[in-house]
């Protein structure tokens, strides 16, 4: 009998499985209510007195070995299921995800911001829902100013003080309120105007506006900056400035870049003139500087602003 039990101890110690069902069968076989251990313990009373001590020891050894085996096999199976369970092996390298592509508007915006950051401009951003002061009044567009009609505005609810910004000049106002010159910043962002939607225009679109304020900034600096920009952006350095009007700049100009008339597409996009209108610009009106807490007796500046959706259409067909 003792030898038989010792054989079982060896079997128990050698036992191994990877399934919970087999562990359970094993447990029932040894530790179950009709299991082998029950049998051996029941046999104890019939064992000769001189063997009782050894018998008791081997049965207990078998019992402990069986219990330890069940516990350790269960732990092992649980741990390996965590790794290869519903999530698979969490330590495996990820499956490669094929790259997406950037939207043409983002490509153009990034190109513009990198050109200007190369010459010392930083990027500033502001809220798309604006108040009247930052979008209009601070920019020399008081209430009832007819030039407000240039920018058909979406108002938020019925409050005329809360609106969707019509240009990112509002960000420049915020920037000047928070910073003293020297200022070199460009403000990219989405803007909104209540205009008819067509293949060439939408009621929301994207702008990049620029602002440079320092001592002694002149119109010549503006022109040089724009020339640098068009050369970097389009590979075209010939520009012309046509007199124009914006309430926040004086003097103001419209910037055309000479695109050329080499291909049929050139004819189409320049309407047969070879010139392409790309932005508005001008010297910041002293009133605007004053409104934003900058002394126009000491400082002057230039500003420009362009819509980037058409540029994106142009460059990406
Ligand atoms: N804010 C003007 C617009 O949205 C563009 C502009 C910016 C013009 C700065 C001049 C100077 O049309």
């Amino acid at each position: 009998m003792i030898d038989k039990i010792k054989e079982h101890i060896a079997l128990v110690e050698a036992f191994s499985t990877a399934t919970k069902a087999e562990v359970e069968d094993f447990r029932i076989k040894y530790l179950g209510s009709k299991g082998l251990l029950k049998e051996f313990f029941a046999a104890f009373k019939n064992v000769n007195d001189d063997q009782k001590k050894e018998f008791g020891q081997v049965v207990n050894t078998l019992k402990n070995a069986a219990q330890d085996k069940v516990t350790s096999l269960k732990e092992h199976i649980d741990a390996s299921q965590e790794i290869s369970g519903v999530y698979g092996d969490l330590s495996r390298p990820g499956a490669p995800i094929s790259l997406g592509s950037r939207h043409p508007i983002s490509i153009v915006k990034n190109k513009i911001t990198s050109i200007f950051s190369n010459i010392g401009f930083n990027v500033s951003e502001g809220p798309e829902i604006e108040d009247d002061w930052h979008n209009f009044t601070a920019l020399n567009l008081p209430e009832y100013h007819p030039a407000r009609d240039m920018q058909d505005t979406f108002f938020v609810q019925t409050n005329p003080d809360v609106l969707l910004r019509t240009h990112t000049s509002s960000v420049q106002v915020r920037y000047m309120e928070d910073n003293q010159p020297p200022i070199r910043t460009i403000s990219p962002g989405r803007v909104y105007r209540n205009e008819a939607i067509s293949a060439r225009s939408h009621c929301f679109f994207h702008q990049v506006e620029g602002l440079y304020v320092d001592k002694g900034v002149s119109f010549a600096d503006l022109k040089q900056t724009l020339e640098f920009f068009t050369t970097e952006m389009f590979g075209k350095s010939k520009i012309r400035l046509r007199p124009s009007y914006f309430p926040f700049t004086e003097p103001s100009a419209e910037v055309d870049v000479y695109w050329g008339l080499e291909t049929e597409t050139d004819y189409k996009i320049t309407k047969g003139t070879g010139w392409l209108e790309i932005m508005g610009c001008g010297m910041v009106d002293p009133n605007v500087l004053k409104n934003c807490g900058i002394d126009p007796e000491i400082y002057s500046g230039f500003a420009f602003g362009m819509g980037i959706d058409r540029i994106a259409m142009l460059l990406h067909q």
Side-chain angles (χ1 to χ4, degrees):
M1 188 75 145
I2 287 178
D3 286 345
K4 198 176 155 197
I5 296 172
K6 282 183 176 165
E7 266 172 43
H8 276 294
I9 293 173
L11 285 174
V12 164
E13 277 169 355
F15 179 73
S16 180
T17 176
T19 71
K20 280 195 165 176
E22 280 181 26
V23 176
E24 183 59 8
D25 289 346
F26 172 87
R27 189 192 65 80
I28 291 168
K29 180 178 170 192
Y30 285 98
L31 301 161
S33 54
K34 291 174 186 154
L36 283 169
L37 276 153
K38 196 90 173 187
E39 241 176 66
F40 294 141
F41 278 118
F44 184 75
K45 59 179 184 296
N46 303 323
V47 173
N48 292 338
D49 281 352
D50 60 339
Q51 289 194 332
K52 268 202 157 72
K53 189 178 170 200
E54 195 191 347
F55 188 89
Q57 279 172 349
V58 287
V59 175
N60 269 320
T61 306
L62 177 62
K63 185 184 162 199
N64 290 337
Q67 276 171 346
D68 288 351
K69 192 55 132 188
V70 169
T71 317
S72 76
L73 282 174
K74 274 188 181 164
E75 274 172 9
H76 187 76
I77 291 168
D78 281 346
S80 62
Q81 272 183 347
E82 252 165 50
I83 292 174
S84 63
V86 281
Y87 298 113
D89 179 355
L90 294 179
S91 65
R92 272 174 61 206
I97 297 166
S98 54
L99 286 175
S101 51
R102 287 207 192 284
H103 194 283
I105 288 177
S106 299
I107 297 172
V108 168
K109 186 189 83 180
N110 292 347
K111 189 164 179 196
I112 296 170
T113 49
S114 90
I115 291 170
F116 282 104
S117 62
N118 283 345
I119 52 172
F121 283 73
N122 65 11
V123 175
S124 50
E125 285 179 334
E128 291 180 23
I129 299 174
E130 260 301 359
D131 52 39
D132 181 281
W133 170 257
H134 292 98
N135 196 80
F136 289 128
T137 306
L139 288 160
N140 231 9
L141 275 148
E143 211 184 341
Y144 305 120
H145 193 291
R148 284 194 181 203
D149 288 347
M150 284 163 76
Q151 308 189 342
D152 307 281
T153 309
F154 284 118
F155 293 93
V156 175
Q157 297 181 326
T158 50
N159 185 346
D161 193 42
V162 185
L163 46 90
L164 297 178
R165 68 182 178 195
T166 60
H167 48 189
T168 56
S169 304
S170 57
V171 182
Q172 307 184 330
V173 172
R174 287 178 180 276
Y175 196 88
M176 287 190 281
E177 284 174 342
D178 294 342
N179 298 277
Q180 279 296 306
I183 289 172
R184 290 182 211 91
T185 189
I186 55 166
S187 319
R190 186 178 286 174
V191 298
Y192 302 82
R193 288 182 204 178
N194 189 5
E195 279 167 9
I197 298 170
S198 76
R200 305 194 87 239
S201 63
H202 203 281
C203 60
F204 70 75
F205 53 100
H206 303 77
Q207 283 191 326
V208 176
E209 297 217 355
L211 176 71
Y212 190 148
V213 184
D214 204 346
K215 285 179 186 153
V217 177
S218 72
F219 204 89
D221 297 317
L222 169 60
K223 200 174 169 189
Q224 283 297 316
T225 306
L226 296 177
E227 243 173 49
F228 173 79
F229 168 71
T230 59
T231 310
E232 294 286 305
M233 186 74 197
F234 307 110
K236 309 199 188 265
S237 59
K238 190 164 154 188
I239 60 169
R240 75 179 177 196
L241 299 169
R242 282 179 292 113
S244 184
Y245 171 76
F246 297 101
F248 29 88
T249 47
E250 181 59 35
S252 306
E254 216 67 68
V255 184
D256 299 342
V257 56
Y258 189 69
W259 198 259
L261 278 175
E262 273 148 41
T263 68
E264 210 178 310
T265 321
D266 293 345
Y267 265 88
K268 229 192 273 171
I269 61 178
T270 66
K271 295 179 184 129
T273 64
W275 292 94
L276 197 67
E277 184 185 320
I278 55 160
M279 65 172 113
C281 67
M283 300 306 291
V284 183
D285 192 298
N287 269 338
V288 174
L289 294 176
K290 214 186 296 166
N291 287 341
C292 301
I294 292 173
D295 187 348
E297 301 291 329
I298 305 175
Y299 296 108
S300 58
F302 65 73
F304 55 87
M306 65 192 115
I308 63 178
D309 302 64
R310 280 197 196 148
I311 296 177
M313 285 196 262
L314 200 68
L315 295 182
H316 296 271
Q317 302 297 309

